[in-house]
Amino acid sequence: MKYYILVGEASGDLHGSNLIKALLKQDNDADIRFWGGDLMASAGGTLVKHYKERAFMGFTEVIMNLNKIFKLIAYCKTDISTFNPDVVIFIDNSGFNLRIAQWAKAAGYKTNYYISPQVWASRASRVKAIKRDIDSMFVILPFVKPFYKRYNYDVTFVGHPLIDAIAHRKQVQEHEFRKTHELSDKPIIALLPGSRKQEITKMLNIMLSLVDDYPDYQFVIAGAPSQDYSFYKTFIKSINVHFIENKTYDLLSISTAALVTSGTATLETALFKVPQVVCYKGSAISYQIAKRIVTLKFISLVNLVMDREVVTELIQKEFNRKRLKEELDKILDKDFREQMFLDYFELERTLGGVGASEKTARLIYNGLKN
């Protein structure tokens, strides 16, 4: 079979790579073409466009790059037509993917969506288009299935692929890891400031403002694969701050605490059982727009899945040096940490066990045979 996969960011690249591996197990002769990243390229198939070419964050940046976006959409449609796949598989990235899905369905292609757009968070009116344009939807968060049920759209909960990614990773040897990256024996506070330049710029300075208050710890920035060290270097002013590129899982596996920008990283941190503070600060315009269309009680996936506050969320003005220090002190406290660990174990049970990628690949492949 011929598969065309569309991914738009680093987390999608991870899940897309595991899906490709699973598809190749189901279909030995699979011909896979995709928009994604380095992980998907290493898994197999042909890379058309790297997600770095279209990593636009926030309403204002999207508007400023509309011409480029429209050209990418046109190119994507042409490339799909030339490849003529048996199925087009969309992974998250709703702004781009839903436009392609509308065209693909009308053009007669089978459409599958893996990892639903966040219509459960904002603009639920998009469900109408999803029902029209997507043949099969595979969701990874348990509360999304009943959300769609309210709109008479039957979707399949497959479990969360992060559990697969973490369970199957090679265990890091802490002593060797510290030695390789010139880390001391001090406990580690991991800093996950996001993956895009705009959010890193807004988050990292405030995170690093705490360094001198914790001389008994070392701070380690988890560098995103989409950014070069030269960019991060401008923020580092202390010898107690280290930088490790593209090794986030290894870093989390040996960290004592973490300061994490809202997004998939909050769930990754929880699955590694690292106490965390969730942080978010956007541009004033983007935040005001988001506040009016987002309908959720929480911004972190941890709290959304649990439907209660497990991790503290510092949003916009609340994300400041004083509040961040208060919350970091809490997650370094023994009793507070123990309760968070219990919540994390409950979270993992709620998300289901391993096998999301394999289950999704099997459902996609079987759907093509029928």
Side-chain angles (χ1 to χ4, degrees), residues 247-270:
K247 296 285 184 182
T248 301
Y249 283 9
D250 289 346
L251 174 61
L252 286 174
S253 72
I254 63 170
S255 293
T256 296
L259 308 180
V260 186
T261 297
S262 176
T264 305
T266 64
L267 197 56
E268 292 171 319
T269 303

Side-chain angles (χ1 to χ4, degrees), residues 21-282:
K21 293 172 186 175
L23 282 170
L24 290 170
K25 290 179 182 177
Q26 291 289 326
D27 183 358
N28 293 330
D29 297 321
D31 187 0
I32 302 172
R33 191 169 175 86
F34 61 88
W35 293 42
D38 299 337
L39 294 175
M40 293 174 73
S42 66
T46 302
L47 174 64
V48 180
K49 290 282 185 181
H50 202 287
Y51 66 81
K52 291 181 184 178
E53 296 183 46
R54 52 196 186 97
F56 307 117
M57 179 189 176
F59 300 99
T60 52
E61 191 182 3
V62 168
I63 291 171
M64 290 171 61
N65 287 278
L66 277 178
N67 188 50
K68 183 177 181 180
I69 292 169
F70 287 138
K71 286 181 179 179
L72 287 167
I73 289 172
Y75 179 80
C76 184
K77 292 175 181 178
T78 300
D79 197 58
I80 291 173
S81 297
T82 302
F83 185 60
N84 193 29
D86 293 288
V87 61
V88 183
I89 304 168
F90 306 93
I91 298 181
D92 202 357
N93 194 40
S94 64
F96 189 89
N97 282 348
L98 288 179
R99 287 173 173 80
I100 299 299
Q102 181 178 4
W103 167 85
K105 180 65 176 179
Y109 295 105
K110 192 173 186 66
T111 55
N112 286 184
Y113 220 119
Y114 177 41
I115 307 178
S116 169
Q118 294 182 3
V119 289
W120 40 267
S122 65
R123 293 182 290 159
S125 58
R126 292 177 291 171
V127 174
K128 182 179 179 181
I130 289 172
K131 289 175 64 177
R132 180 193 65 211
D133 300 329
I134 302 301
D135 295 313
S136 298
M137 171 73 74
F138 310 109
V139 303
I140 64 173
L141 296 168
F143 61 81
V144 178
K145 184 176 175 66
F147 165 83
Y148 275 116
K149 191 71 173 177
R150 296 203 297 267
Y151 295 88
N152 297 313
Y153 186 47
D154 190 25
V155 305
T156 304
F157 172 60
V158 294
H160 206 293
L162 277 179
I163 296 176
D164 290 348
I166 292 170
H168 296 154
R169 58 178 283 278
K170 184 179 179 181
Q171 295 297 313
V172 64
Q173 298 298 315
E174 181 171 354
H175 175 74
E176 291 301 318
F177 185 82
R178 286 177 180 266
K179 182 178 179 182
T180 299
H181 297 284
E182 299 181 347
L183 302 177
S184 70
D185 292 332
K186 292 179 181 179
I188 293 169
I189 298 174
L191 306 181
L192 280 65
S195 60
R196 299 180 177 98
K197 283 188 176 180
Q198 293 156 295
E199 61 184 350
I200 294 169
T201 299
K202 290 182 180 298
M203 309 304 295
L204 197 50
N205 274 329
I206 297 177
M207 291 179 175
L208 290 174
S209 71
L210 302 185
V211 171
D212 291 342
D213 295 321
Y214 298 89
D216 295 331
Y217 294 84
Q218 58 191 322
F219 289 71
V220 183
I221 300 169
S226 54
Q227 305 298 337
D228 295 327
Y229 171 63
S230 58
F231 172 66
Y232 291 94
K233 188 177 180 180
T234 60
F235 299 94
I236 300 173
K237 311 296 182 186
S238 169
I239 59 172
N240 199 29
V241 177
H242 304 266
F243 174 85
I244 298 178
E245 183 180 12
N246 203 20
K247 296 285 184 182
T248 301
Y249 283 9
D250 289 346
L251 174 61
L252 286 174
S253 72
I254 63 170
S255 293
T256 296
L259 308 180
V260 186
T261 297
S262 176
T264 305
T266 64
L267 197 56
E268 292 171 319
T269 303
L271 292 173
F272 274 100
K273 311 300 186 296
V274 181
Q276 65 182 298
V277 182
V278 176
C279 313
Y280 172 80
K281 190 169 188 176

